[in-house]
C-alpha cells in the first residue's frame, strides 16, 4: 500500500479550505440566508476586484447592474435557490471598478441534515470572451448569409457540405436541405 501524501493526512476541513483557496478561475464564496457574503476565495478577488476584508459582510447584490437590482433579480435568485435548491443564469455583473463582465453564475442552497437553510454557495465565471466570440461568429454567419452574388459553403474534412448560403442556393440551385450532408462531388459531371 502506497504511503499517504501530505494532503491525504490533512483534516477534511483543511483539505476543503485548500481546495477553495486554489480555485482562481471562478469566484467561489458563501452567502448567509439573507445574501450577505461570509467567505471569499482568491478567484472572487481576481474576478470581482474586492479584497476579502472589504467585501465580507456586504450584500451580494452589489455585483448586479442597477437594472437587475430594480427588477429584483438578487432577491429572485435567493428565493429560487432556497425553493428549488439551485439558480443558474448568465448576465452582466459589476466589478469593484464599475466595469461589467458577462457572468455565468450558479447559486446552490446549503442545508443541514434536517433540511434547514444555512446559506448559499455562489460560483461565478467570467464568460465575456466566450460571449464575444459567439457574437463575432454570429455576425460572420449573418454576413455570409447576406451574400447573394457568391456561392459560399463549408465542406468538412471528408468533402461533405456542412453549410450553404443564399448565394449558393441562387447560383447552384440547391436548397440547403437538398445539399447539406451531400458530398461536394455532386457539383461535377462524370
Amino acid at each position: 500500500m502506497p504511503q499517504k501524501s501530505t494532503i491525504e493526512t490533512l483534516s477534511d476541513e483543511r483539505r476543503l479550505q485548500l481546495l477553495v483557496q486554489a480555485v482562481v478561475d471562478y469566484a467561489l464564496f458563501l452567502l448567509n440566508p439573507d445574501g450577505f457574503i461570509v467567505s471569499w476565495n482568491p478567484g472572487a478577488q481576481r474576478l470581482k476586484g474586492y479584497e476579502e476584508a472589504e467585501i465580507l459582510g456586504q450584500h451580494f447584490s452589489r455585483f448586479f447592474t442597477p437594472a437587475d437590482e430594480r427588477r429584483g433579480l438578487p432577491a429572485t435568485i435567493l428565493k429560487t435557490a432556497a425553493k428549488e435548491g439551485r439558480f443558474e443564469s448568465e448576465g452582466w455583473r459589476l466589478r469593484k471598478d464599475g466595469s461589467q463582465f458577462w457572468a455565468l453564475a450558479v447559486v446552490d442552497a446549503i442545508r443541514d441534515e434536517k433540511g434547514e437553510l444555512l446559506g448559499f454557495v455562489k460560483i461565478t465565471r467570467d464568460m465575456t470572451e466566450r460571449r464575444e466570440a459567439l457574437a463575432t461568429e454570429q455576425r460572420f454567419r449573418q454576413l455570409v448569409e447576406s451574400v447573394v452574388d457568391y456561392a459560399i459553403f463549408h465542406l468538412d474534412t471528408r468533402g461533405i457540405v456542412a453549410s450553404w448560403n443564399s448565394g449558393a442556393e441562387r447560383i447552384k440551385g440547391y436548397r440547403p436541405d437538398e445539399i447539406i450532408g451531400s458530398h461536394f462531388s455532386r457539383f461535377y459531371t462524370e
Side-chain angles (χ1 to χ4, degrees), residues 29 31 34-38 40 44 47-70 73-75 77-78 92-101 122 124:
F29 53 98
L31 305 173
D34 296 320
F36 290 91
I37 301 164
V38 298
W40 196 247
L47 182 64
K48 298 187 184 263
Y50 291 93
E51 298 284 335
E52 183 179 49
E54 65 185 325
I55 199 67
L56 291 182
Q58 300 295 314
H59 198 269
F60 87 113
S61 62
R62 74 178 322 128
F63 306 127
F64 291 82
T65 64
D68 283 341
E69 282 195 71
R70 282 191 300 275
L73 183 57
I77 289 171
L78 295 180
W92 292 109
R93 297 295 181 269
L94 300 175
R95 291 188 172 94
K96 178 183 176 183
D97 65 7
S99 64
Q100 293 187 4
F101 66 100
K122 184 165 188 307
T124 305

Side-chain angles (χ1 to χ4, degrees), residues 23-28 41-44 46-47 104 123-126:
V23 175
V24 294
D25 288 335
Y26 294 82
L28 179 62
N41 82 326
R46 186 184 70 75
L47 182 64
L104 169 63
I123 303 168
T124 305
R125 181 154 193 208
D126 184 346

